[in-house]
Amino acid sequence: MNNADVAWMLISTALVLLMTPALAFFYGGLVRSKNALNTMMMSFISLGFAGVAWALLGYSLAFAPGTSLVGGLGFSLLKGVTLDPQGTIPHVLFMAFQGTFAVITAALISGAIVERMRFSAYIAFITLWVLAVYAPVAHWVWGGGWLATMGALDFAGGTVVHVNAAAAALVAALVVGPRFDHGRQAMLPHNVPFVLLGAGLLWFGWFGFNAGSALAANGIAGLAFTNTMLAPMATLVVWTLLDVIRTGRVTAVGGATAIVVGLVAITPAAGYISPVSSLMLGGIAAIPSYFAIQFRARTRLDDSLDVVAAHGVGGMVGALLTGVFADQAWSGAANGLVGGNAGQIGIQAAGIAAALVYSSVMTFVLLKLIGLVLPLRAASRDEALGLDVSDHGEEAYAEGDGAILIGPDLAPSVMAATAVTTEGGRA
């Protein structure tokens, strides 16, 4: 083992773990105040249920020796996951680092179904999804599965994390259905500073996400670190110009979204392309995601926080552009189109298609199975009141003495809110 690599991976694991609370702030600021806590808890709860599922079985399905489709049970219950080296770091640390990826991938899905999915059903869904969807797809790319054998490039999770989660988010939004007031009233972010804070913390944590995926304190980590800095900068510039041309204004929410899109897009390419190419990739990625958000707003799809446009479109663009800009001189991996290897784009597209189809189908099956046992959708009365109160018995911004629940019954002030709601969910 190498002590420098161990130290870097300890830091990287902590950075990626921080990304889930950061996502909670990013998502939490984008919803109405009556659902702020519920939305944030959808991220925080993944730290528990998805994390434990990963440790007990998910890690084995992703990284234990198995078939080309899924890992075996050799590492279940963390059997054999010890201090012995996995490369130049302890095996147990490698498991922990990979676990932080599973946690945030599951949490990403919540952005498409906030403000209306029942919390208990959501917990059941992300727990099963980590095992049935995330772990097999991770095995395909990082665990020696069929996409790895084919030569697919995904440095830190453009396909495994972002395309995978976005496909699940799209299906979940369709199965759960739109919010009852979707398209009938403006549903504006209740706390834009939270959104900016979340985006900033996500960028900070993403240095561990991408540079940590080198699994060593080496030159590739330095390259991934630099590209993770540069690509979102370019995305932010192009996004800002698009905003100015289209509306004459530069919004804070748009700027925060641009940063996330740039981070998503550089994720699959971070350790494979040059810094100049990362600037180009980040700038290009802004365009399809920007217009995908505009298009979605004109449809009946209630992807509440635009998971599909930001993570799905951004992840697909990043994965395809990895096949364009991959540079063997920088990474030692395969060249892309610019280096004379046009076939790499086809391999990247195959990986995207496989993740989209598998995640979509399995997500639909899981939600339908869970729906046989637990209601997926919150009651209309609870949705009108806000899921903070109905699912958690709390308010993000309590008034007066903050009393909300009296035994199993709602306090009179909250009962009054069930008839007429205004912005923020208060009568």
Side-chain angles (χ1 to χ4, degrees):
M1 283 186 282
N2 181 287
N3 287 340
D5 294 346
V6 173
W8 170 237
M9 292 310 299
L10 289 170
I11 294 169
S12 293
T13 302
L15 286 171
V16 182
L17 191 68
L18 175 67
M19 290 174 67
T20 299
L23 183 71
F25 276 96
F26 183 77
Y27 278 175
L30 286 169
V31 298
R32 293 169 289 181
S33 62
K34 64 181 180 178
N35 295 303
L37 290 180
N38 177 259
T39 298
M40 297 180 80
M41 279 298 294
M42 283 182 152
S43 293
F44 271 92
I45 205 68
S46 185
L47 290 163
F49 285 86
V52 170
W54 176 258
L56 296 181
L57 183 57
Y59 176 69
S60 188
L61 296 176
F63 288 100
T67 70
S68 62
L69 296 177
V70 69
L73 300 177
F75 295 150
S76 57
L77 303 180
L78 298 183
K79 179 177 62 178
V81 182
T82 66
L83 296 178
D84 291 337
Q86 177 84 357
T88 60
I89 64 174
H91 190 176
V92 69
L93 177 56
F94 176 78
M95 181 280 300
F97 178 70
Q98 294 296 338
T100 60
F101 279 62
V103 166
I104 193 168
T105 305
L108 286 173
I109 301 169
S110 68
I113 40 81
V114 293
E115 299 196 309
R116 77 262 200 199
M117 187 170 186
R118 196 176 294 263
F119 197 65
S120 56
Y122 170 76
I123 290 174
F125 168 67
I126 61 170
T127 303
L128 295 174
W129 190 87
V130 164
L131 300 177
V133 182
Y134 178 81
V137 176
H139 180 77
W140 297 351
V141 178
W142 297 330
W146 68 279
L147 284 176
T149 302
M150 184 186 294
L153 299 177
D154 190 0
F155 190 76
T159 298
V160 175
V161 174
H162 298 290
V163 173
N164 198 5
L170 175 60
V171 172
L174 293 172
V175 171
V176 176
R179 289 165 287 186
F180 75 85
D181 49 3
H182 177 250
R184 292 189 288 174
Q185 70 176 60
M187 289 177 277
L188 303 176
H190 90 280
N191 194 324
V192 175
F194 270 18
V195 179
L196 292 172
L197 174 65
L201 290 174
L202 280 169
W203 199 345
F204 180 67
W206 225 291
F207 287 109
F209 198 83
N210 286 353
S213 293
L215 302 177
N218 58 19
I220 298 299
L223 175 65
F225 192 102
T226 302
N227 288 342
T228 303
M229 181 181 73
L230 293 177
M233 293 177 175
T235 309
L236 182 57
V237 169
V238 173
W239 199 285
T240 298
L241 293 175
L242 290 171
D243 254 353
V244 170
I245 293 169
R246 180 174 168 271
T247 68
R249 300 189 183 101
V250 180
T251 66
V253 170
T257 303
I259 289 169
V260 172
V261 169
L263 290 165
V264 168
I266 194 57
T267 293
Y272 297 131
I273 69 175
S274 71
V276 171
S277 294
S278 75
L279 287 170
M280 296 173 63
L281 183 150
I284 294 169
I287 300 170
S289 286
Y290 183 92
F291 288 105
I293 290 175
Q294 308 308 318
F295 174 76
R296 198 279 307 164
R298 296 193 293 269
T299 71
R300 299 185 65 182
L301 173 65
D302 190 8
D303 176 7
S304 317
L305 308 182
D306 286 306
V307 180
V308 174
H311 296 273
V313 175
M316 286 188 285
V317 170
L320 290 173
L321 291 180
T322 302
V324 174
F325 293 121
D327 191 339
Q328 192 174 41
W330 280 88
S331 67
N335 278 320
L337 175 65
V338 173
N341 179 22
Q344 190 63 42
I345 297 178
I347 295 173
Q348 299 300 107
I352 292 169
L356 285 173
V357 172
Y358 182 75
S359 183
S360 298
V361 171
M362 289 302 297
T363 296
F364 181 81
V365 170
L366 288 175
L367 287 171
K368 289 299 183 181
L369 290 175
I370 293 168
L372 296 176
V373 180
L374 297 170
L376 297 178
R377 184 69 182 254
S380 57
R381 176 175 177 271
D382 294 337
E383 188 176 338
L385 179 65
L387 301 188
D388 287 2
V389 172
S390 64
D391 282 357
H392 309 287
E394 299 172 303
E395 284 184 295
Y397 309 98
E399 295 179 348
D401 60 6
I404 298 172
L405 296 182
I406 303 174
D409 300 319
L410 294 175
S413 63
V414 175
M415 287 288 288
T418 61
V420 180
T421 60
T422 61
E423 184 179 352
R426 293 184 176 84

